Amino acid sequence: MTSPPMAPETTTLQMRRVLNAPRERVWAAWTQREQLEEWMCKDVPAHSPKYVELDLRPGGRYAMEIPLAEGKYVGHGVFREVTPPAKLVFTWSWKRIPEKPGEDLGGESVVTVELFDRGGATEMVLTHTGLGSCSILEDTRTGWTGCFEVLASVLEGRLA
């Protein structure tokens, strides 16, 4: 017997963070390849993500690869909305090559990033919907929390 589907609110993650940087600088960190590679998915220090595609426009695609000892993770999606320097909406999906039996990376989900000017600082609101299960939601929360710690350090010049 299968479990009933989860209610949408239980598969949605929302996080807020105030970053000590102007909104345009935070926007650049989300939208420029070199800057993304400094913080995105670096919640695991051994990860060294490389963006192999980044077409920043509605309908444009992105793809990043994270090398592993055996294979790689590939994160990919499509930009749905690009409104500089305020809002970015994109699909989010992972696969592992080669696949690891029993590993659940979830299906396609949607990430919305909103940036609000707070007088020299930026309030960032991330909403990640369609996470599919409580386990994936908690893993996603842990991942984004770690990524945002690295992002804050990069923006504040604590990491080179």
Side-chain angles (χ1 to χ4, degrees), residues 3 15 23 25 35 42 49 55 66 80 92 97 100 108 126 130 137 139 141 143 147 152 155 159:
S3 302
M15 301 175 73
R23 184 165 76 157
R25 186 152 179 237
Q35 293 191 47
K42 295 202 63 136
D55 183 5
I66 301 173
R80 292 186 173 175
W92 181 267
I97 301 170
K100 182 178 178 183
E108 184 176 83
L126 176 129
L137 184 141
D139 288 347
R141 180 189 320 275
C147 288
L155 290 170
L159 292 178

Side-chain angles (χ1 to χ4, degrees), residues 39-47 139 142-148 150:
W39 69 272
M40 179 64 80
C41 298
K42 295 202 63 136
D43 54 309
V44 175
H47 284 175
D139 288 347
T142 299
W144 281 124
T145 298
C147 288
F148 295 162
V150 177

Side-chain angles (χ1 to χ4, degrees), residues 64-97:
M64 75 174 115
E65 296 180 353
I66 301 173
L68 303 169
E70 296 178 9
K72 62 185 171 183
Y73 283 116
V74 177
H76 57 93
V78 176
F79 291 102
R80 292 186 173 175
E81 183 178 340
V82 179
T83 308
K87 189 174 183 183
L88 192 60
V89 181
F90 53 94
T91 62
W92 181 267
S93 186
W94 284 104
K95 63 183 174 182
R96 183 179 177 139
I97 301 170

